[in-house]
Amino acid sequence: MYRKPVFWVVLLCIAGLAAASIGLLGGTRQHAELTEEDYARQYINRNIKQYQSEWPDVRITDSRIITFEKTAEFDHLLAAPVQIWRLEYRLTPDDPGKLMLPGGMQAIDGLITEDGSMGKPALVFSYQDSVPEYLGEVWSGENDLTRPAGQEMALRKFFEGKGQLPHETFSGSHILVKFPLSTGETSQLLLSQPSKRGDQGIWAVERWKDTRGNEYYHRPNTEETLSAYYASLQTMADQGTDKSLLDPLQVAIQYIKSELGQPVSRDKLVMVYQATVADFAVSPESSLLGYVTDLALDSDTMNFDQVEWLTLEDKDRMKSLNITEDQMPGGFYILNKYAVNDPYKLTAETQYKLIDRDNPGSVKSVSKQEFIEYFQQFTGFAPPCSITVSNYAVHIITEQYVP
């Protein structure tokens, strides 16, 4: 359903806020009678109610819609059509001097804008028999809401989060590619065939995930829709103009280099063919080296200061850091360029391991208390540890041997 942009003014008085907060203006209109404008008004009124609970000394005396217009429509995501509507508004406080705006919120000429910590909101509607239903909002700070590909990706993330879409942009065959970041953490790509299946179908990275469980969606740099963009790339492969996208390994390497800006070599990649969405959902496991701090018996968290372990074989890295062999009398160098203590979770399943002095080259499992007591003996330099982590949780902490 297409509607022209709607511009309207809503005057709110304090006496009317209680009626607005029940969900329907006046409480008399039926759900099926609500328009997009009604839902937008409810959205603004909910924000007013929240602001007045946070700023009890500030009264919002009126609100004004600046822009409310449909910016995108998609028919292939859900069974019903879905639309995105851009919303801009201004709220008038009785005393702008009392405002204490948190990060992301803005005021222009003393008027509160729609801006928040995640950018600007856009309202999402679905339609059944041309009747709109408000589903929620997507934000400009997290998405590119100015172009079709970005708008579709924003809606996919939105509906995946609600369980209304599977966690895949393109169904069919998938390949999982695990690779190390320059920080030492392991990340993974999900490759799919967006246009054609089988040996003649191109491959594309649709999303990637880091060892902390954060998922990042790939948004092509195009003014086209996703289907049109990948169809044109498939045509180029069919015509022999560019067949590089037929090789998933090349696709993965190019993405890691150009999109993520990470160095990569083929021998560092782990390709998992015939992967599933469930395989990608499992966060990759990383092994990191650094110093454990703030480890206490009664705490389920710890801090970790990650370092880089260099040996004489890392000549290119040594050269870039101006480190000479004279600085490596033991054949190694521990680089702690940034002393950053990252927090990690400990669980009942976390394993603690120390070097077994009775069996050179071996480690032994100990209790958390024994591990803590062992490291309490060090008043200056303490040995580094390697930790195996995923999703911010530590699975194994192991004392690192230092020659």
Side-chain angles (χ1 to χ4, degrees), residues 44-351:
I44 295 172
N45 288 340
R46 285 194 297 271
N47 284 344
I48 291 175
K49 184 178 179 181
Q50 178 182 345
Y51 296 158
Q52 296 204 165
S53 67
E54 296 175 353
W55 309 319
D57 295 334
V58 178
R59 297 169 56 205
I60 305 299
T61 59
D62 111 328
S63 72
R64 179 163 57 96
I65 293 292
I66 302 300
T67 303
F68 186 52
E69 61 182 358
K70 184 183 75 170
T71 57
E73 180 172 359
F74 296 91
D75 297 329
H76 65 287
L77 296 177
L78 301 181
V82 180
Q83 294 182 4
I84 297 177
W85 286 62
R86 182 167 67 97
L87 173 63
E88 296 181 7
Y89 60 84
R90 300 291 183 267
L91 305 179
T92 303
D94 62 342
D95 187 352
K98 295 180 181 179
L99 292 176
M100 297 292 290
L101 298 179
M105 291 189 65
Q106 296 185 31
I108 298 178
D109 297 329
L111 303 179
I112 303 170
T113 73
E114 72 285 344
D115 295 271
S117 60
M118 296 183 291
K120 295 180 178 293
L123 307 190
V124 179
F125 297 94
S126 67
Y127 292 83
Q128 190 67 41
D129 298 327
S130 298
V131 177
E133 179 182 0
Y134 171 66
L135 302 179
E137 65 274 350
V138 292
W139 294 86
S140 64
E142 300 176 322
N143 307 281
D144 176 6
L145 300 179
T146 64
R147 298 187 293 178
Q151 293 161 347
E152 180 177 342
M153 293 308 299
L155 290 176
R156 285 189 174 277
K157 288 190 286 184
F158 178 81
F159 291 122
E160 286 181 19
K162 290 180 172 292
Q164 294 178 269
L165 284 178
H167 282 266
E168 59 181 350
T169 305
F170 307 104
S171 60
S173 300
H174 299 294
I175 297 176
L176 192 65
V177 182
K178 298 186 179 185
F179 65 97
L181 296 175
S182 57
T183 59
E185 298 178 78
T186 300
S187 295
Q188 60 192 26
L189 308 174
L190 182 66
L191 272 64
S192 304
Q193 292 188 295
S195 186
K196 182 188 294 186
R197 310 291 184 264
D199 294 340
Q200 300 305 310
I202 63 172
W203 289 92
V205 175
E206 66 164 72
R207 62 190 70 191
W208 68 282
K209 178 177 289 190
D210 62 26
T211 194
R212 300 174 186 269
N214 299 313
E215 190 168 324
Y216 308 90
Y217 295 68
H218 175 57
R219 184 179 63 244
N221 184 21
T222 177
E223 299 296 333
E224 300 178 291
T225 62
L226 289 177
S227 58
Y229 171 74
Y230 285 115
S232 63
L233 295 181
Q234 181 66 60
T235 298
M236 294 174 63
D238 293 340
Q239 295 175 347
T241 306
D242 183 0
K243 292 188 175 183
S244 63
L245 298 183
L246 298 175
D247 182 356
L249 179 60
Q250 288 190 52
V251 171
I253 291 176
Q254 183 61 29
Y255 187 87
I256 296 170
K257 286 183 176 180
S258 61
E259 296 292 334
L260 302 183
Q262 294 288 311
V264 63
S265 57
R266 290 172 182 259
D267 61 329
K268 297 293 185 180
L269 300 183
V270 177
M271 307 282 289
V272 181
Y273 295 90
Q274 302 301 320
T276 65
V277 174
D279 295 328
F280 180 75
V282 179
S283 297
E285 198 172 74
S286 296
S287 181
L288 308 176
L289 182 69
Y291 299 106
V292 174
T293 60
D294 299 319
L295 179 61
L297 193 60
D298 59 351
S299 176
D300 60 357
T301 63
M302 56 162 262
N303 287 331
F304 190 71
D305 181 12
Q306 188 176 343
V307 302
E308 186 176 356
W309 183 286
L310 301 174
T311 68
L312 294 173
E313 297 179 355
D314 301 313
K315 296 189 181 299
D316 290 341
R317 182 66 171 148
M318 290 168 55
K319 183 177 180 179
S320 66
L321 296 169
N322 293 320
I323 297 174
T324 65
E325 293 187 13
D326 294 337
Q327 297 171 273
M328 306 171 67
F332 69 94
Y333 187 96
I334 297 178
L335 176 65
N336 192 8
K337 192 172 184 179
Y338 304 104
V340 178
N341 286 311
D342 295 316
Y344 286 94
K345 296 181 295 185
L346 300 171
T347 69
E349 287 73 37
T350 301
Q351 301 177 45

Side-chain angles (χ1 to χ4, degrees), residues 342-396:
D342 295 316
Y344 286 94
K345 296 181 295 185
L346 300 171
T347 69
E349 287 73 37
T350 301
Q351 301 177 45
Y352 304 86
K353 298 184 178 184
L354 296 174
I355 295 173
D356 188 347
R357 267 66 185 181
D358 297 328
N359 295 290
S362 301
V363 295
K364 61 181 179 180
S365 295
V366 298
S367 67
K368 182 179 181 180
Q369 181 173 345
E370 290 173 318
F371 190 89
I372 293 174
E373 291 175 349
Y374 171 78
F375 275 87
Q376 285 176 340
Q377 68 177 301
F378 299 99
T379 57
F381 172 81
C385 293
S386 63
I387 61 173
T388 303
V389 298
S390 64
N391 266 352
Y392 285 95
V394 179
H395 307 302
I396 306 173

Side-chain angles (χ1 to χ4, degrees), residues 18-39:
S21 67
I22 66 174
L24 298 179
L25 294 174
T28 59
R29 301 187 62 180
Q30 298 298 314
H31 178 77
E33 297 177 352
L34 294 176
T35 66
E36 292 90 348
E37 292 85 352
D38 294 327
Y39 284 114

